[in-house]
Structure formats: structure tokens, C-alpha cells
């Protein structure tokens, strides 16, 4: 299926309730599995959250998480810590190409019995009953923060807690901080110093009711829409100034692209400012906010400014190789794009090519990042249903903003 998009207007008025953060939701679901008294309000309606919930409720010994990276990593640690029955943990074809060796090694070092069902280092995993007898482990932190969050989430249930040493340069740090913050709210004693994190055993939580904040990564597409529109007035209820999500950095970044964020009593309001002082070249290090990379690159294409995005070393192992996918699709519009293993440089098109067919590579963020370009030119998005991974209502929200 392909969806043709064009803007009915170039001024966007919209109020949209974005669902709960999938990162917060998936952490809280694991914690709830350990501490069933926890109640979660505003859980994400994303497919990634649905699959995790289902796997936790499922009484069969096969769990299939589809494309959900957090579900795969968090469940690997969760099932390894359970020591009850053997579990076969699998995912989509792409999931079977996303590395998990660092986490499996760390869990094995703690005492887990895990085997690879197909290829060494990749899902599916066969997780056998075994007690986690050790409480100290160290692992490289430069590939995915999800391995570390996975260990942190099981830490308060280990008799002696866990001490986790991080080697290499820590990537996607705000996601580790989000996990630690939730553990702290729960009542777990944590300490993060000199690349060592320790979490103590926690018998009972001191807090039972958790409210998931709306998803800042989903909000990023409205920032792009505002940046590309002549005028925009977009209200997104529920967002807070102090978020656990690193992707709230989008508000700072889009200031440079003419979008002003006001925090109101009910949430945020995005307004387009007069566009007279765009940077000639937008330079950003996105190692803390990798999920914003596609959105920002496409905004720059639409605004006809060049950009130099760094810190993108994790993009190759996400839902698709996002660096290659961006290069291929941005160049269809006439841009010139250079990529390395951790950076992307975009030189915009003199004139945007019209009616481009954007391939999405089973990556929700490819579809959502390119969609706002419809404000500038008519485009086609292939396999638009991919958005359900994180934002099932995305096309409805876009239609409400006047993009059909
Ligand atoms: O912990 C999380 O919720 C996430 C961590 C990030 O992954 P990496 O740590 O692999 O970069 C991010 O890209 C992903 O969408 C969600
Ligand atoms: C990378 C992402 O998710 P995950 O790694 O959890 O599949 C994402 O949502 O952009």
C-alpha cells in the first residue's frame, strides 16, 4: 500500500493528544511484572507496548516481539531472571539481525543459561531456567543503552542487587537515566558514579501509581510539521517541562528551525516564528537523541538548509539501517547526502523533486519523518501502516492538521 500526501493548506492548526511514551510504558510493564501492585495510567497505544504486554501475560513458552527492540532486550533479561520455565524469545526478520550478544554475555556472566536458536549473537534466544547467582557485571555501553536498561530493570529483584560497570563511551544516556529515575521513584536505592551503576534489592515499592507522560519522540513530527509550514499553532496536551524523555530536546533543537514551544497549563503549544535567521548549516550531535535524526534531516531538506548530524553510530542497527535509508530517500528529492558509520551530511536540493515515492523499510520513523514534507511538495509514502510500531494514530493526526 502507498499513501499519497499533499497539504490542504500551509498553515497548521491542530490539537492532538499523543499517547503515552513507549519507552516509559515498556519499562513500567517490566516493573509491574515484578511488583503487580503497580498501576500504570496512560500506557502507550503503540504496537511495541502491545507486544511486550502480551508476552508478559502469555502463559506459553514462546514470545514473539515482532520489531520491538525494547521488548526483545527487556524480556531477555526478565525471562533470564525468572528461572522457572524455558522460553523461546523471537522477533521479526529484522529483529533477528539486531545484535543482542552484549546483553546475553552479561546475563550469562550473572548465571543465566541462554542459547542462540539460529545465529550466534542474534535472536531468537532460548532462555533456560537458571538462577542469577552473581551480582556484578560489566558490559560495553557504546552499542545500545537498551542492554543496560534491561539489566537495571531486573536489578531491584536480585537478592544482592546489581552492580553494573559500563565500558566504552555511553550512548543514548537519557534512556539509562529514564530507567534509573523510574527505579528511584519505585523506591530502589541507586548510585551512578564513574561509569558504575549499582541498584539495591527492593522488596516492596514505595510508589504504586505511575502516570506515563506523552511521547516526545512522537511529538517530533509535529515540530517538523510546524517548521515546514508558513504558520502553525499546534497544541499537544499533557507534555511537561521536566520530562524523563531525552527526546524533549526536540523543543530546543527546533528553536533553531523557527518553532517556538510554550509550556501551558495543559501541555505544549508550538508556533512557527518568522523565518529570517535560519542557520546556514545545522550542526548537531544526536548521540543522546538518536530517534530524532530522521525527523531533523527531513526538516532541513524541506527548509533548504544543510546539516551535519553526528553521533549516529546506533542508527545502523535500528528498525533498518537508518543512515543508508535516509541517504537513499533524501537523494530522491534531489539532495546530496554523505554518510559515514556515525554521521550524515545533507546538502539540500535546489528544487525538491515532486511526487517522490518514499520507501519506509519497515521503519515507522522513515514514514513519519518524511510525511511533513507534504507541506512543501506532493509525496507518496509506501507501507504507511509501519507507523503503528510507535504511533498508530499518526495518519489521523496528520489528517487533522490538514494533510491528506
Ligand atoms: O530504551 C529505550 O526505550 C530506547 C533506547 C534507544 O535505543 P538505543 O539505546 O539502542 O540507542 C532508542 O533509540 C529507542 O527507540 C528506545
Ligand atoms: C529504535 C527504536 O525502537 P526499538 O529499538 O525499541 O525497536 C525506535 O522506536 O526508533
Amino acid at each position: 500500500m502507498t499513501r499519497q500526501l499533499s497539504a490542504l493548506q500551509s498553515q497548521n492548526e491542530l490539537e492532538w493528544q499523543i499517547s503515552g511514551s513507549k519507552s516509559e510504558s515498556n519499562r513500567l510493564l517490566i516493573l509491574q511484572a515484578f511488583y503487580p501492585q503497580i498501576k500504570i495510567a496512560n500506557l502507550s497505544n503503540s504496537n511495541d507496548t502491545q507486544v511486550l504486554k502480551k508476552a508478559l501475560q502469555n502463559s506459553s513458552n514462546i514470545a514473539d516481539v515482532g520489531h520491538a527492540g525494547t521488548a526483545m532486550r527487556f524480556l531477555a533479561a526478565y525471562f533470564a531472571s525468572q528461572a522457572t520455565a524455558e522460553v523461546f524469545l523471537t522477533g521479526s526478520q529484522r529483529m533477528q539481525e539486531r545484535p543482542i550478544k552484549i546483553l546475553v554475555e552479561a546475563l550469562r556472566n550473572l548465571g543465566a543459561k541462554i542459547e542462540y536458536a539460529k545465529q550466534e549473537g542474534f535472536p531468537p534466544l532460548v532462555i533456560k531456567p537458571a538462577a542469577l547467582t552473581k551480582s556484578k557485571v560489566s558490559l560495553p555501553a557504546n552499542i545500545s543503552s537498551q542492554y543496560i536498561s534491561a539489566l537495571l530493570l531486573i536489578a531491584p529483584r536480585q537478592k544482592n542487587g546489581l552492580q553494573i560497570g559500563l565500558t566504552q563511551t555511553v550512548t543514548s544516556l537519557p534512556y539509562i537515566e529514564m530507567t534509573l529515575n523510574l527505579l528511584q521513584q519505585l523506591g530502589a536505592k541507586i548510585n551512578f558514579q564513574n561509569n558504575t551503576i549499582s541498584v539495591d534489592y527492593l522488596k516492596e515499592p514505595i510508589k504504586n501509581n505511575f502516570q506515563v507522560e506523552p511521547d516526545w519522540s512522537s511529538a517530533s513530527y509535529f515540530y517538523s510539521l510546524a517548521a515546514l509550514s508558513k504558520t502553525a499553532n499546534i497544541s499537544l496536551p499533557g507534555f511537561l517541562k521536566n520530562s524523563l524523555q531525552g527526546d524533549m530536546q526536540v523543543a530546543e533543537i527546533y528553536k533553531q528551525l523557527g518553532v517556538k514551544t510554550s509550556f501551558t497549563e495543559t501541555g505544549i503549544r508550538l508556533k512557527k516564528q518568522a523565518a529570517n535567521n535560519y542557520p546556514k548549516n545545522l550542526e548537531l550531535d544526536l548521540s543522546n537523541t538518536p530517534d530524532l535524526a530522521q525527523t531533523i534531516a527531513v526538516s532541513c531538506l524541506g527548509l533548504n538548509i544543510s546539516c551535519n548530524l553526528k553521533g549516529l553510530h546506533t542508527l545502523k542497527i535500528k528498525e533498518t539501517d537508518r543512515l543508508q535509508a535516509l541517504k537513499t530517500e533524501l537523494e530522491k528529492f534531489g539532495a546530496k547526502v554523505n554518510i559515514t558509520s556515525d554521521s550524515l551530511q545533507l546538502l539540500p536540493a535546489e528544487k525538491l523533486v515532486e511526487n517522490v515515492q518514499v520507501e519506509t523499510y519497515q521503519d515507522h520513523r522513515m514514514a513519519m519523518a518524511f510525511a511533513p514534507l507534504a507541506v512543501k511538495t506532493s509525496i507518496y509514502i509506501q507501507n504507511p501502516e509501519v507507523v503503528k510500531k510507535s504511533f498508530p494514530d499518526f495518519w489521523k493526526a496528520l489528517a487533522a492538521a490538514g494533510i491528506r
Side-chain angles (χ1 to χ4, degrees):
M1 191 178 132
T2 300
R3 188 177 278 256
Q4 183 193 8
L5 295 180
S6 46
L8 300 177
Q9 67 223 15
S10 62
Q11 55 185 42
N12 286 296
E13 289 274 345
L14 173 72
E15 174 165 338
W16 196 265
Q17 181 77 53
I18 291 180
S19 173
S21 151
K22 86 170 160 88
S23 290
E24 290 179 32
S25 296
N26 285 10
R27 285 159 172 75
L28 286 167
L29 283 173
I30 296 286
L31 294 173
Q32 187 184 47
F34 287 129
Y35 304 103
Q37 60 268 56
I38 291 179
K39 294 201 166 52
I40 311 171
N42 197 35
L43 198 70
S44 162
N45 65 359
S46 68
N47 205 59
D48 278 16
T49 296
Q50 299 297 326
V51 294
L52 177 57
K53 203 172 164 187
K54 200 170 144 214
L56 288 167
Q57 286 166 350
N58 197 348
S59 53
S60 112
N61 61 350
I62 300 176
D64 186 341
V65 298
H67 298 301
T70 49
M72 172 54 71
R73 281 73 182 256
F74 296 175
L75 283 173
Y78 172 77
F79 288 133
S81 78
Q82 286 306 83
T84 43
E86 182 170 306
V87 178
F88 183 81
L89 178 58
T90 190
S92 63
Q93 189 49 47
R94 175 61 183 170
M95 188 57 66
Q96 298 183 26
E97 296 165 3
R98 296 181 69 184
I100 194 159
K101 190 171 188 163
I102 290 173
L103 176 59
V104 168
E105 287 300 312
L107 289 165
R108 281 176 174 170
N109 288 338
L110 290 171
K113 272 210 173 111
I114 305 178
E115 281 164 21
Y116 298 108
K118 286 189 182 165
Q119 201 192 335
E120 161 94 13
F122 299 88
L125 304 178
V126 180
I127 304 172
K128 306 202 161 175
L132 302 187
T133 47
K134 305 265 173 50
S135 59
K136 261 191 188 183
V137 72
S138 87
L139 73 166
N142 58 337
I143 307 296
S144 170
S145 69
Q146 294 179 11
Y147 308 146
I148 296 140
S149 288
L151 295 170
L152 290 172
L153 288 168
I154 63 166
R157 283 316 265 182
Q158 306 311 304
K159 264 226 174 74
N160 298 313
L162 279 188
Q163 186 179 313
I164 305 168
L166 308 181
T167 64
Q168 314 290 337
T169 308
V170 180
T171 198
S172 302
L173 178 64
Y175 291 98
I176 297 176
E177 292 170 338
M178 175 194 287
T179 314
L180 289 172
N181 186 302
L182 289 171
L183 291 180
Q184 252 178 331
Q185 289 188 47
L186 201 67
K189 198 164 156 267
I190 62 132
N191 185 36
F192 188 0
Q193 252 178 348
N194 303 329
N195 282 355
T196 300
I197 309 178
S198 58
V199 180
D200 289 357
Y201 172 72
L202 175 73
K203 191 158 187 282
E204 296 289 336
I206 56 166
K207 174 173 169 174
N208 290 334
N209 294 308
F210 286 82
Q211 167 85 22
V212 178
E213 310 165 67
D215 194 287
W216 274 100
S217 319
S218 299
S220 72
Y221 308 107
F222 298 102
Y223 276 87
S224 185
L225 184 65
L228 297 177
S229 303
K230 280 209 178 80
T231 66
N233 184 3
I234 298 178
S235 292
L236 304 174
F239 285 93
L240 304 170
K241 211 167 196 164
N242 291 316
S243 173
L244 300 186
Q245 299 163 59
D247 277 6
M248 82 167 298
Q249 188 63 26
V250 70
E252 276 304 307
I253 293 172
Y254 273 79
K255 255 189 210 170
Q256 296 188 64
L257 301 181
V259 182
K260 181 171 174 245
T261 306
S262 316
F263 286 86
T264 67
E265 276 180 11
T266 53
I268 50 173
R269 173 164 301 136
L270 319 185
K271 286 212 163 149
K272 180 71 192 284
Q273 305 290 94
N276 42 18
N277 55 351
Y278 288 127
K280 270 222 169 71
N281 180 43
L282 186 67
E283 296 239 6
L284 294 169
D285 181 337
L286 299 177
S287 48
N288 279 338
T289 55
D291 294 355
L292 298 181
Q294 291 144 297
T295 319
I296 294 167
V298 175
S299 293
C300 289
L301 172 75
L303 290 170
N304 197 31
I305 62 181
S306 64
C307 68
N308 214 332
L309 306 180
K310 295 185 187 141
L312 307 183
H313 46 279
T314 63
L315 261 61
K316 280 184 170 302
I317 54 166
K318 297 208 184 275
E319 284 79 336
T320 182
D321 175 347
R322 289 182 172 166
L323 284 165
Q324 188 55 53
L326 274 173
K327 176 175 165 65
T328 307
E329 300 311 308
L330 291 166
E331 288 191 336
K332 288 183 182 170
F333 289 87
K336 182 92 200 73
V337 179
N338 295 314
I339 51 172
T340 66
S341 61
D342 63 355
S343 71
L344 179 144
Q345 184 197 34
L346 166 102
L347 301 168
E350 274 173 23
K351 186 178 178 305
L352 289 178
V353 175
E354 286 173 20
N355 294 318
V356 167
Q357 297 264 351
V358 177
E359 251 186 76
T360 50
Y361 309 91
Q362 299 191 11
D363 182 358
H364 54 143
R365 301 204 191 283
M366 285 303 284
M368 298 189 287
F370 277 89
L373 256 195
V375 171
K376 296 283 180 185
T377 181
S378 173
I379 63 171
Y380 294 82
I381 304 282
Q382 289 179 352
N383 302 113
E385 69 284 354
V386 290
V387 301
K388 68 176 188 280
K389 183 174 192 284
S390 65
F391 193 168
D393 304 334
F394 178 74
W395 298 114
K396 275 192 208 152
L398 221 60
I403 294 180
R404 296 286 148 92

